[in-house]
Amino acid sequence: MSKLNLVLFGPPGAGKGTQSTFLIEKFGLIHLSTGDLLRGEIASKTELGLKAKELMDQGKLVPDEVVIGMIKNKLASNPDAKGFIFDGFPRTTAQAEALDALLADNNDSISAMLALEVGVEELKKRLLERGKVSGRPDDQNLDIIAQRISEYNNKTAPLKAFYEKQNKLHTIEGVGTVESISNTLSESISKL
Ligand code: AMP
């Protein structure tokens, strides 16, 4: 049976992490968040973590080869997974191309991109709220939040066209109750 590999997409604050928690339960998938993996490296004070932290604290993307290497390791260490939710990855065209190639090595592919759409003022409000409890320095400063949104617009948003060309793009309104958005996502996935 082919695997269910989903790219959960959207700007910072769109609700990717929240919805991933629900989707991994419902569909039995493994959650791969490059942001979480990087924060794990920072917490363990690895060399990679220390280098990544400098960029993350400025709201800038870390180099492609760093996150591609992390994803490659995780795919290799979970050969029997029913599928994966990619959260916060890919974020550049080079990452999307690398992901396609890594999956193709196992005769596998991305099933769909689910793109959550949320307006910029709502994103800023949500991120500042999250900053009060997340302890994430990049959620606590409006200039850094603006920098992250600008990285998203310049480097990441073009990936919608990348997956649209493959007929895999599904856009989903990311404003509403958590539950209503979960339901819409589930419906889209069930139709795949
Ligand atoms: P996130 O938890 O997805 O909001 O990511 C937090 C930060 O980690 C981002 O602002 C980037 O600095 C870095 N990061 C996470 N995922 C990636 C990625 N796929 N490519 C480059 N940088 C990333």
Side-chain angles (χ1 to χ4, degrees):
M1 209 182 79
S2 66
K3 298 194 180 192
L4 182 61
N5 295 314
L6 305 171
V7 173
L8 191 54
F9 193 77
K16 302 185 293 293
T18 304
Q19 293 298 337
S20 290
T21 314
F22 162 80
L23 293 173
I24 53 168
E25 276 285 316
K26 169 138 188 169
F27 295 97
L29 306 173
I30 291 186
H31 182 209
L32 293 185
S33 154
T34 40
D36 286 351
L37 293 170
L38 289 165
R39 282 182 289 276
E41 296 283 336
I42 293 173
S44 311
K45 298 194 163 58
T46 63
E47 199 183 323
L48 187 159
L50 292 177
K51 278 196 195 140
K53 183 173 166 46
E54 235 176 87
L55 291 162
M56 290 165 77
D57 285 353
Q58 295 171 59
K60 295 186 179 153
L61 295 186
V62 307
D64 287 332
E65 56 274 19
V66 171
V67 285
I68 292 167
M70 289 177 142
I71 291 288
K72 185 177 179 184
N73 289 340
K74 286 286 170 188
L75 292 178
S77 57
N78 291 286
D80 300 324
K82 278 172 73 178
F84 296 91
I85 291 196
F86 298 95
D87 164 2
F89 180 91
R91 262 179 156 99
T92 63
T93 305
Q95 292 177 26
E97 286 169 348
L99 179 59
D100 276 354
L102 284 172
L103 292 171
D105 284 345
N106 298 317
N107 291 318
D108 206 355
S109 61
I110 289 296
S111 316
M113 167 190 262
L114 305 166
L116 294 169
E117 308 225 301
V118 178
V120 69
E121 288 314 313
E122 173 72 13
L123 293 174
K124 289 181 180 169
K125 199 175 90 190
R126 286 188 191 179
L127 289 168
L128 282 175
E129 274 303 309
R130 185 170 78 185
K132 292 181 192 162
V133 288
S134 70
R136 283 178 55 169
D138 60 344
D139 283 345
Q140 295 177 29
N141 173 308
L142 261 183
D143 290 339
I144 294 170
I145 289 173
Q147 174 66 39
R148 288 163 67 200
I149 294 173
S150 141
E151 287 277 77
Y152 172 82
N153 287 332
N154 293 329
K155 298 178 184 165
T156 308
L159 291 185
K160 282 196 254 182
F162 180 94
Y163 287 97
E164 191 168 27
K165 267 192 220 135
Q166 300 186 15
N167 275 324
K168 291 178 180 170
L169 173 65
H170 303 254
T171 50
I172 280 138
E173 167 78 60
V175 183
T177 64
V178 171
E179 201 193 352
S180 70
I181 298 164
S182 302
N183 288 338
T184 313
L185 286 166
S186 283
E187 276 168 31
S188 297
I189 296 166
S190 304
K191 286 189 211 141
L192 292 176

